[in-house]
Amino acid sequence: MKDDLPSDPRYRNTMNRLEAAKRTAENGADYWFAREIQGILGYVEFRNFEGVMERARTSMSSNGIEPSHHLVETTRMMKIGKGAKRKDRDFFLSRAACYLIAMNGEPSKPEIAAAQAYFAIQTRAREIEQAQSEDEKRLEERDKVTESFKAVSSAAKEAGVTGAKQRLFHNARYEGLYRLTSRQYRNEKGFGADENAFDRMGVLELSANDFQMNLAAETIQKEIIEGEVTAIRKNKEIAMRVRRTMINSGSVPPEQLPLAEPIKEVRKRIKASKKANPRLPNAS
């Protein structure tokens, strides 16, 4: 988009000024002050700019978005010339608010056209960043589950759960967490014969299994549990405890959590992203 901008220098100048005016809150969210971007967008009078903000509010309300979360009134000391200052009304504007202000501004103004391009680029950049972050979080949880599965399997083996009994031990986790056998769980979810159930779990479900397995491994070792029957029973008890915690915290029962896309697709996407190292164009 950088190279597609019109030759009018006001386009690039506007985008650079919007970038310079951007502030970042402690929570990482970007915001702008209304009186600072008023002039950048070509509005001399603030009362005229307030009309554009009002149209942005209406647009938010029409789409089920609470405007007060994105346009927040405040009072600031403003320069009025010759070094003098006075208190005046201003507004904190979120990225979404600024985008809608640009979309509701006067289309004949080159500054408005540049702002529309700027906030479209910024919005898309944030979407990509969030998607990549979610992918990385899920992949991290999936890798943690691999390690916790090894840890609890080892703890069970030390307690006397060996050979085919290991399958019964892990099945107890399903019975306690999902109230289903592992086979019933796979049938309910529609897994293929060669699919690993963990590969189709989302972040919350992976976290629940990771926590259960780590807690079971620690409990078996700390309580010096011996014998396959005792170890299997303890594994199920811990899984039932995790299930109750999830439900009491407001989550749906674990068996009702939706399937996620195959983890191999997430790995491919992350690998491709790192290889390509995409960079969205800026206004410089």
Side-chain angles (χ1 to χ4, degrees), residues 7 26 31 56 70 86 91-92 106 113 116 124-125 137 139 158 177 188-189 191 199 219 228 234 251 264 275:
S7 58
E26 291 183 359
Y31 70 95
H70 298 273
R86 73 179 180 195
F91 292 84
F92 295 103
E106 296 176 29
Q116 290 174 355
R124 180 56 180 157
K137 186 174 182 180
L139 185 57
E158 290 177 7
L177 190 57
E188 288 281 338
K189 297 291 186 178
F191 285 127
D199 289 348
T219 301
E228 58 191 34
K234 178 61 69 173
S251 172
K264 64 181 180 182
K275 184 177 180 181

Side-chain angles (χ1 to χ4, degrees), residues 214-272:
N214 279 319
L215 183 58
E218 182 178 10
T219 301
I220 289 171
Q221 292 170 335
K222 278 190 174 182
E223 296 183 5
I224 315 177
I225 290 175
E226 296 182 352
E228 58 191 34
V229 173
T230 305
I232 290 171
R233 182 173 63 248
K234 178 61 69 173
N235 195 31
K236 183 175 180 179
E237 288 174 359
I238 293 170
M240 291 170 65
R241 196 186 314 164
V242 173
R243 176 187 175 87
R244 286 195 299 271
T245 299
M246 291 179 69
I247 294 174
N248 291 339
S249 298
S251 172
V252 299
E255 65 274 13
Q256 293 181 20
L257 291 170
L259 277 181
E261 69 173 319
I263 199 70
K264 64 181 180 182
E265 298 301 325
V266 175
R267 292 186 189 277
K268 287 180 183 177
R269 192 158 54 241
I270 291 177
K271 184 177 180 180

Side-chain angles (χ1 to χ4, degrees), residues 168-182 184-185 232 235-237 239-240 243:
L168 292 176
F169 175 81
H170 289 293
N171 185 67
R173 182 180 74 257
Y174 283 91
E175 291 180 335
L177 190 57
Y178 299 99
R179 292 187 175 175
L180 298 168
T181 66
S182 59
Q184 289 171 333
Y185 174 87
I232 290 171
N235 195 31
K236 183 175 180 179
E237 288 174 359
M240 291 170 65
R243 176 187 175 87

Side-chain angles (χ1 to χ4, degrees), residues 129-146:
E129 180 182 313
Q130 290 176 341
Q132 290 175 339
S133 176
E134 290 170 4
D135 278 350
E136 289 170 355
K137 186 174 182 180
R138 184 177 166 213
L139 185 57
E140 179 183 351
E141 288 295 333
R142 176 63 185 90
D143 290 341
K144 284 170 62 178
V145 161
T146 296

Side-chain angles (χ1 to χ4, degrees), residues 3 11 13 21 32 34 80 85-86 88-89 99 134 136 154 162 169 174 181-182 190 196 203 224 227 236 253:
D3 295 331
Y11 279 75
N13 182 52
W32 288 256
I80 57 175
K85 294 182 178 181
R86 73 179 180 195
D88 214 335
R89 291 171 61 246
Y99 181 71
E134 290 170 4
E136 289 170 355
S154 177
T162 58
F169 175 81
Y174 283 91
T181 66
S182 59
N196 186 316
V203 172
I224 315 177
K236 183 175 180 179

